[in-house]
Amino acid sequence: MTEQSSYGRERYRRFSLAGNGSAETWLQRRGEHIEIKTKFEVPNAGGSGARDETYQRCAQHGCLGEALPTTGQCFAHSTQAARTEYLGSIPNSNRALCLRGTSISQSLWNEIANSPIFLGGRLRAPITLAGAEIEASIRMDGVAFDHYFQLNTAYILNIIEFKNCQFHS
């Protein structure tokens, strides 16, 4: 089960876990930054933990998306030309496509899926969608993953399907 809360935490979710445990995740604003918060407790197994991850937020008022280094705005709020340039710069740069906290619509996902990031049926750079709000239907068939595809703490509102994919470490 998932619960939602509005106690200053955005995209807050609480999950019930086996062993009478629970996990929580949320985004929290800290000035020009966004913190992704996670914590869990499993009393019957004697375990607990927490993790924070911080990124520079989009300059657009109210947005939780990660700012692109080139525009200061998130992928969704950057211009089409800036997005195309950013997508083209990532594969040979040793950088990840950082979309943390960004709202991913179907049209934005289609831009990513049809970009050099997925050239030749391969994921050519890491992608981080941590804390993202994913409204798009993402269906990958036969993709070779040579890099990580991070979805932890993402708010998934549609189907994400991996079919006939290869995952390499």
Coordinates of all heavy atoms in Angstrom, one line a residue, residues 4-71:
Q4 N 0.0 8.9 0.9 CA 0.5 10.2 0.4 C 0.3 11.2 1.5 O -0.6 11.1 2.3 CB -0.1 10.7 -0.9 CG 0.2 9.7 -2.0 CD 0.0 10.3 -3.3 OE1 0.0 11.5 -3.5 NE2 -0.1 9.5 -4.3
S5 N 1.2 12.2 1.6 CA 1.2 13.2 2.7 C 1.6 14.5 2.1 O 2.2 14.6 1.1 CB 2.1 12.8 3.8 OG 2.3 13.8 4.7
S6 N 1.2 15.6 2.8 CA 1.5 16.9 2.3 C 2.2 17.7 3.4 O 2.2 18.9 3.5 CB 0.3 17.7 1.9 OG -0.6 17.8 2.9
Y7 N 3.0 17.1 4.3 CA 3.7 17.7 5.4 C 5.0 18.4 4.9 O 6.0 18.1 5.5 CB 3.9 16.7 6.5 CG 2.7 16.1 7.1 CD1 2.4 14.8 6.8 CD2 1.8 16.9 7.9 CE1 1.3 14.2 7.4 CE2 0.7 16.3 8.4 CZ 0.4 15.0 8.1 OH -0.7 14.4 8.6
G8 N 4.9 19.3 4.0 CA 6.1 19.9 3.4 C 7.0 19.0 2.6 O 8.1 19.4 2.2
R9 N 6.5 17.8 2.3 CA 7.2 16.8 1.5 C 6.5 16.7 0.2 O 5.3 16.6 0.2 CB 7.2 15.5 2.2 CG 7.8 15.5 3.6 CD 7.6 14.2 4.3 NE 8.1 14.2 5.6 CZ 8.0 13.2 6.4 NH1 7.4 12.1 6.1 NH2 8.5 13.2 7.6
E10 N 7.2 16.8 -0.9 CA 6.5 16.7 -2.2 C 6.8 15.3 -2.8 O 7.8 14.7 -2.6 CB 7.0 17.8 -3.1 CG 6.7 19.2 -2.5 CD 7.1 20.3 -3.4 OE1 6.6 20.4 -4.5 OE2 7.8 21.2 -2.9
R11 N 5.8 14.8 -3.4 CA 5.8 13.5 -4.0 C 6.0 12.4 -2.9 O 6.7 11.4 -3.1 CB 6.8 13.3 -5.2 CG 6.4 14.2 -6.3 CD 7.2 14.0 -7.5 NE 7.0 15.0 -8.5 CZ 7.8 15.4 -9.4 NH1 9.0 14.8 -9.5 NH2 7.5 16.4 -10.3
Y12 N 5.5 12.7 -1.7 CA 5.7 11.8 -0.6 C 4.9 10.5 -0.8 O 3.7 10.5 -1.2 CB 5.2 12.5 0.7 CG 5.2 11.6 1.9 CD1 6.4 11.4 2.6 CD2 4.1 10.8 2.3 CE1 6.4 10.6 3.7 CE2 4.1 10.0 3.4 CZ 5.3 9.9 4.1 OH 5.3 9.0 5.2
R13 N 5.6 9.4 -0.5 CA 4.9 8.1 -0.5 C 5.4 7.3 0.7 O 6.6 7.4 1.0 CB 5.2 7.3 -1.8 CG 4.4 8.0 -2.9 CD 5.0 7.6 -4.3 NE 6.3 8.2 -4.3 CZ 7.2 7.8 -5.2 NH1 6.9 6.9 -6.1 NH2 8.4 8.3 -5.2
R14 N 4.5 6.5 1.2 CA 4.9 5.5 2.3 C 4.4 4.2 1.8 O 3.2 4.0 1.4 CB 4.2 6.0 3.6 CG 4.5 5.0 4.7 CD 3.8 5.5 6.0 NE 3.9 4.6 7.1 CZ 4.9 4.5 8.0 NH1 5.9 5.4 7.9 NH2 4.9 3.6 8.9
F15 N 5.3 3.2 2.0 CA 5.0 1.8 1.5 C 5.0 0.9 2.7 O 5.9 1.0 3.5 CB 6.0 1.3 0.5 CG 6.1 2.2 -0.7 CD1 7.0 3.3 -0.8 CD2 5.2 2.1 -1.8 CE1 7.2 4.1 -1.8 CE2 5.4 2.9 -2.9 CZ 6.3 3.9 -2.9
S16 N 4.1 -0.1 2.7 CA 4.2 -1.1 3.7 C 5.1 -2.2 3.2 O 5.0 -2.6 2.0 CB 2.8 -1.7 4.0 OG 2.0 -0.7 4.6
L17 N 6.0 -2.7 4.0 CA 6.9 -3.8 3.6 C 6.7 -5.1 4.5 O 6.1 -5.0 5.5 CB 8.4 -3.3 3.9 CG 8.8 -2.1 3.1 CD1 10.2 -1.7 3.6 CD2 8.7 -2.2 1.6
A18 N 7.2 -6.2 4.0 CA 7.1 -7.4 4.7 C 7.8 -7.3 6.1 O 8.7 -6.4 6.2 CB 7.7 -8.5 3.9
G19 N 7.5 -8.1 7.0 CA 8.1 -8.1 8.3 C 7.7 -6.8 9.1 O 8.5 -6.3 9.9
N20 N 6.5 -6.3 8.9 CA 6.0 -5.2 9.6 C 6.8 -3.9 9.4 O 6.9 -3.0 10.2 CB 5.9 -5.5 11.1 CG 4.9 -4.6 11.8 OD1 3.9 -4.1 11.2 ND2 5.1 -4.3 13.1
G21 N 7.4 -3.9 8.2 CA 8.3 -2.7 7.8 C 7.6 -1.7 7.0 O 6.4 -1.8 6.6
S22 N 8.3 -0.6 6.8 CA 7.8 0.5 6.0 C 8.9 1.2 5.3 O 10.1 1.2 5.8 CB 7.0 1.5 6.8 OG 7.8 2.1 7.8
A23 N 8.6 1.9 4.2 CA 9.6 2.7 3.5 C 8.9 4.0 3.1 O 7.7 4.0 2.9 CB 10.1 2.0 2.3
E24 N 9.7 5.1 3.2 CA 9.2 6.4 2.8 C 10.1 7.0 1.8 O 11.3 6.8 1.9 CB 9.1 7.3 4.0 CG 8.1 6.9 5.1 CD 8.1 7.8 6.3 OE1 9.0 7.5 7.1 OE2 7.3 8.7 6.3
T25 N 9.5 7.8 0.9 CA 10.3 8.6 0.0 C 9.6 9.9 -0.3 O 8.4 9.9 -0.4 CB 10.6 7.8 -1.3 OG1 11.4 8.6 -2.2 CG2 9.4 7.4 -2.0
W26 N 10.4 11.0 -0.5 CA 9.8 12.3 -0.8 C 10.9 13.2 -1.4 O 12.1 12.9 -1.2 CB 9.1 12.9 0.4 CG 10.0 13.3 1.5 CD1 10.6 14.5 1.7 CD2 10.4 12.5 2.6 NE1 11.3 14.6 2.9 CE2 11.2 13.3 3.5 CE3 10.2 11.2 3.0 CZ2 11.8 12.8 4.6 CZ3 10.8 10.7 4.1 CH2 11.6 11.5 4.9
L27 N 10.5 14.3 -1.9 CA 11.4 15.4 -2.4 C 11.1 16.6 -1.5 O 10.0 16.8 -1.0 CB 11.0 15.8 -3.8 CG 11.1 14.7 -4.9 CD1 10.8 15.3 -6.3 CD2 12.5 14.0 -4.9
Q28 N 12.2 17.3 -1.2 CA 12.1 18.4 -0.3 C 13.0 19.6 -0.8 O 14.2 19.3 -1.2 CB 12.6 18.0 1.1 CG 12.3 19.0 2.2 CD 12.2 18.3 3.5 OE1 12.5 17.2 3.7 NE2 11.7 19.1 4.5
R29 N 12.4 20.8 -0.9 CA 13.2 21.9 -1.4 C 14.1 22.5 -0.3 O 13.7 22.6 0.9 CB 12.2 23.0 -1.7 CG 11.3 22.7 -2.9 CD 10.2 23.7 -3.0 NE 9.1 23.3 -3.9 CZ 9.2 23.3 -5.2 NH1 10.2 23.9 -5.8 NH2 8.2 22.9 -6.0
R30 N 15.3 22.8 -0.7 CA 16.3 23.4 0.2 C 17.0 24.6 -0.6 O 18.0 24.4 -1.2 CB 17.4 22.4 0.6 CG 16.9 21.4 1.5 CD 16.8 21.8 2.9 NE 16.4 20.7 3.8 CZ 15.4 20.8 4.7 NH1 14.7 21.9 4.8 NH2 15.1 19.7 5.4
G31 N 16.3 25.7 -0.7 CA 16.9 26.8 -1.5 C 16.9 26.5 -2.9 O 15.9 26.2 -3.6
E32 N 18.1 26.6 -3.5 CA 18.3 26.3 -4.9 C 18.5 24.8 -5.2 O 18.7 24.4 -6.4 CB 19.6 27.0 -5.4 CG 19.5 28.5 -5.3 CD 18.4 29.1 -6.1 OE1 18.2 28.7 -7.3 OE2 17.6 29.9 -5.6
H33 N 18.3 24.0 -4.2 CA 18.5 22.5 -4.3 C 17.2 21.8 -4.0 O 16.4 22.3 -3.3 CB 19.6 22.0 -3.4 CG 21.0 22.6 -3.9 ND1 21.4 23.8 -3.4 CD2 21.9 22.1 -4.7 CE1 22.6 24.0 -3.9 NE2 22.9 23.1 -4.7
I34 N 17.2 20.5 -4.5 CA 16.1 19.6 -4.1 C 16.8 18.4 -3.5 O 17.8 17.9 -4.0 CB 15.3 19.1 -5.4 CG1 14.7 20.3 -6.1 CG2 14.3 18.0 -5.0 CD1 13.5 20.9 -5.4
E35 N 16.3 17.9 -2.4 CA 16.8 16.7 -1.7 C 15.8 15.6 -2.0 O 14.6 15.8 -1.8 CB 16.9 16.9 -0.2 CG 18.0 17.9 0.1 CD 18.1 18.1 1.6 OE1 17.2 17.7 2.4 OE2 19.1 18.7 2.1
I36 N 16.3 14.4 -2.4 CA 15.5 13.2 -2.5 C 15.8 12.5 -1.2 O 16.9 12.1 -0.9 CB 15.9 12.4 -3.7 CG1 15.7 13.1 -5.0 CG2 15.1 11.0 -3.7 CD1 16.3 12.4 -6.2
K37 N 14.7 12.2 -0.5 CA 14.8 11.6 0.9 C 14.2 10.2 0.8 O 13.2 10.0 0.2 CB 14.1 12.4 1.9 CG 14.5 13.8 2.0 CD 15.6 13.9 2.9 CE 15.8 15.3 3.5 NZ 16.8 15.4 4.4
T38 N 14.9 9.2 1.4 CA 14.4 7.9 1.5 C 14.8 7.3 2.9 O 15.8 7.6 3.4 CB 15.1 6.9 0.5 OG1 16.1 7.5 -0.2 CG2 14.1 6.3 -0.4
K39 N 13.8 6.6 3.5 CA 14.1 5.9 4.7 C 13.3 4.7 4.8 O 12.2 4.6 4.3 CB 14.0 6.9 5.9 CG 12.6 7.2 6.4 CD 12.7 8.1 7.6 CE 11.4 8.1 8.3 NZ 11.4 9.0 9.5
F40 N 13.8 3.7 5.5 CA 13.1 2.5 5.7 C 13.3 1.9 7.1 O 14.3 2.2 7.7 CB 13.4 1.4 4.6 CG 14.8 0.9 4.8 CD1 15.0 -0.3 5.5 CD2 15.9 1.5 4.2 CE1 16.3 -0.8 5.6 CE2 17.2 1.0 4.4 CZ 17.4 -0.2 5.1
E41 N 12.4 1.0 7.5 CA 12.4 0.3 8.8 C 11.8 -1.0 8.6 O 10.7 -1.2 8.0 CB 11.6 1.1 9.8 CG 12.4 1.5 11.0 CD 11.6 2.3 12.0 OE1 10.6 1.8 12.5 OE2 11.9 3.5 12.1
V42 N 12.5 -2.1 9.1 CA 12.0 -3.4 9.1 C 12.2 -4.0 10.5 O 13.2 -4.7 10.7 CB 12.6 -4.3 8.0 CG1 11.9 -5.7 7.9 CG2 12.6 -3.6 6.6
P43 N 11.3 -3.7 11.4 CA 11.5 -4.1 12.8 C 11.7 -5.6 13.0 O 12.5 -6.0 13.8 CB 10.2 -3.6 13.5 CG 9.6 -2.6 12.6 CD 10.1 -2.9 11.2
N44 N 10.9 -6.4 12.3 CA 11.1 -7.8 12.5 C 12.4 -8.4 12.0 O 12.8 -9.5 12.4 CB 9.9 -8.6 11.8 CG 8.6 -8.3 12.5 OD1 8.5 -7.6 13.5 ND2 7.5 -8.8 11.9
A45 N 13.1 -7.6 11.2 CA 14.4 -8.1 10.7 C 15.5 -7.3 11.3 O 16.7 -7.5 11.0 CB 14.4 -7.9 9.1
G46 N 15.2 -6.3 12.1 CA 16.2 -5.5 12.8 C 16.9 -4.5 12.0 O 18.0 -4.2 12.3
G47 N 16.3 -4.1 10.9 CA 17.0 -3.2 10.0 C 16.3 -1.9 9.8 O 15.1 -1.7 9.9
S48 N 17.1 -0.9 9.5 CA 16.6 0.5 9.2 C 17.7 1.2 8.4 O 18.9 0.8 8.4 CB 16.2 1.2 10.4 OG 17.3 1.5 11.2
G49 N 17.3 2.3 7.8 CA 18.3 3.1 7.1 C 17.7 4.3 6.5 O 16.5 4.5 6.4
A50 N 18.5 5.2 5.9 CA 18.1 6.4 5.3 C 19.1 6.8 4.2 O 20.3 6.5 4.4 CB 17.9 7.5 6.3
R51 N 18.7 7.6 3.3 CA 19.5 8.1 2.2 C 19.0 9.4 1.7 O 17.8 9.6 1.5 CB 19.6 7.0 1.1 CG 20.5 7.4 0.0 CD 20.7 6.3 -1.1 NE 21.6 6.7 -2.1 CZ 21.3 7.2 -3.2 NH1 20.0 7.4 -3.5 NH2 22.2 7.5 -4.1
D52 N 19.9 10.3 1.5 CA 19.6 11.6 0.9 C 20.4 11.8 -0.4 O 21.6 11.4 -0.4 CB 19.9 12.8 1.8 CG 19.0 12.8 3.1 OD1 18.1 12.0 3.1 OD2 19.3 13.6 4.0
E53 N 19.8 12.4 -1.4 CA 20.5 12.7 -2.6 C 20.1 14.2 -3.0 O 18.9 14.5 -2.8 CB 20.1 11.8 -3.7 CG 20.7 11.9 -5.0 CD 20.2 10.8 -6.0 OE1 19.8 9.7 -5.5 OE2 20.3 11.1 -7.2
T54 N 21.0 15.0 -3.4 CA 20.8 16.4 -3.6 C 21.1 16.8 -5.0 O 22.1 16.3 -5.6 CB 21.6 17.3 -2.6 OG1 21.2 16.9 -1.3 CG2 21.2 18.8 -2.8
Y55 N 20.3 17.7 -5.7 CA 20.7 18.2 -7.0 C 20.2 19.6 -7.1 O 19.4 20.1 -6.3 CB 20.1 17.3 -8.1 CG 18.5 17.2 -8.0 CD1 17.7 18.1 -8.7 CD2 17.9 16.2 -7.4 CE1 16.3 18.0 -8.7 CE2 16.5 16.0 -7.4 CZ 15.8 17.0 -8.0 OH 14.4 16.9 -8.0
Q56 N 20.8 20.3 -8.1 CA 20.4 21.7 -8.4 C 19.1 21.7 -9.0 O 18.8 21.0 -10.0 CB 21.5 22.3 -9.3 CG 21.3 23.8 -9.7 CD 21.7 24.7 -8.5 OE1 22.5 24.4 -7.7 NE2 21.0 25.9 -8.5
R57 N 18.2 22.6 -8.5 CA 16.8 22.6 -9.1 C 16.7 23.5 -10.3 O 17.4 24.4 -10.5 CB 15.8 22.9 -8.0 CG 15.8 24.4 -7.6 CD 14.6 24.7 -6.7 NE 14.6 26.0 -6.2 CZ 14.3 27.1 -6.9 NH1 13.8 27.0 -8.1 NH2 14.4 28.3 -6.4
C58 N 15.6 23.3 -11.1 CA 15.3 24.1 -12.2 C 14.9 25.5 -11.8 O 14.4 25.8 -10.7 CB 14.0 23.5 -12.9 SG 13.3 24.4 -14.3
A59 N 15.3 26.5 -12.6 CA 15.0 27.9 -12.3 C 13.6 28.3 -12.5 O 13.1 29.3 -12.0 CB 15.9 28.8 -13.3
Q60 N 12.8 27.4 -13.1 CA 11.3 27.7 -13.3 C 10.6 27.6 -11.9 O 10.8 26.6 -11.2 CB 10.7 26.7 -14.2 CG 9.3 26.8 -14.5 CD 9.0 27.9 -15.5 OE1 9.8 28.3 -16.3 NE2 7.8 28.5 -15.4
H61 N 9.9 28.6 -11.5 CA 9.2 28.7 -10.2 C 8.4 27.4 -10.0 O 7.6 27.1 -10.8 CB 8.4 29.9 -10.1 CG 7.6 30.0 -8.8 ND1 8.3 30.3 -7.6 CD2 6.3 29.8 -8.5 CE1 7.4 30.3 -6.6 NE2 6.2 30.0 -7.1
G62 N 8.5 26.8 -8.9 CA 7.7 25.6 -8.5 C 8.1 24.3 -9.0 O 7.6 23.3 -8.7
C63 N 9.1 24.3 -9.9 CA 9.5 23.0 -10.6 C 10.5 22.2 -9.7 O 11.3 22.8 -9.0 CB 10.2 23.3 -11.9 SG 10.7 21.8 -12.8
L64 N 10.3 20.9 -9.7 CA 11.2 20.0 -8.9 C 12.3 19.4 -9.8 O 13.1 18.6 -9.3 CB 10.3 18.9 -8.3 CG 9.3 19.4 -7.2 CD1 8.4 18.2 -6.9 CD2 10.0 19.9 -6.0
G65 N 12.3 19.7 -11.0 CA 13.2 19.0 -12.0 C 14.7 19.5 -11.8 O 14.9 20.6 -11.3
E66 N 15.6 18.6 -12.2 CA 17.0 18.9 -12.1 C 17.4 19.9 -13.2 O 17.1 19.7 -14.4 CB 17.8 17.7 -12.2 CG 19.3 17.9 -12.1 CD 20.1 16.6 -12.0 OE1 19.5 15.5 -12.1 OE2 21.3 16.7 -11.7
A67 N 18.1 20.9 -12.9 CA 18.6 21.9 -13.8 C 19.7 21.3 -14.7 O 20.6 20.6 -14.3 CB 19.2 23.1 -13.1
L68 N 19.5 21.6 -16.0 CA 20.6 21.2 -17.0 C 21.8 22.1 -16.8 O 21.6 23.3 -16.5 CB 20.1 21.3 -18.4 CG 18.9 20.4 -18.8 CD1 18.6 20.6 -20.3 CD2 19.0 19.0 -18.5
P69 N 23.0 21.6 -16.9 CA 24.1 22.5 -16.7 C 24.2 23.6 -17.8 O 24.8 24.6 -17.5 CB 25.3 21.5 -16.8 CG 24.8 20.3 -17.5 CD 23.4 20.2 -17.2
T70 N 23.6 23.4 -18.9 CA 23.7 24.3 -20.0 C 22.6 25.4 -20.0 O 22.8 26.5 -20.5 CB 23.6 23.6 -21.4 OG1 22.4 22.8 -21.4 CG2 24.7 22.7 -21.6
T71 N 21.5 25.2 -19.3 CA 20.4 26.2 -19.4 C 19.9 26.7 -18.0 O 19.3 27.7 -17.9 CB 19.1 25.6 -20.1 OG1 18.6 24.5 -19.2 CG2 19.5 25.0 -21.4

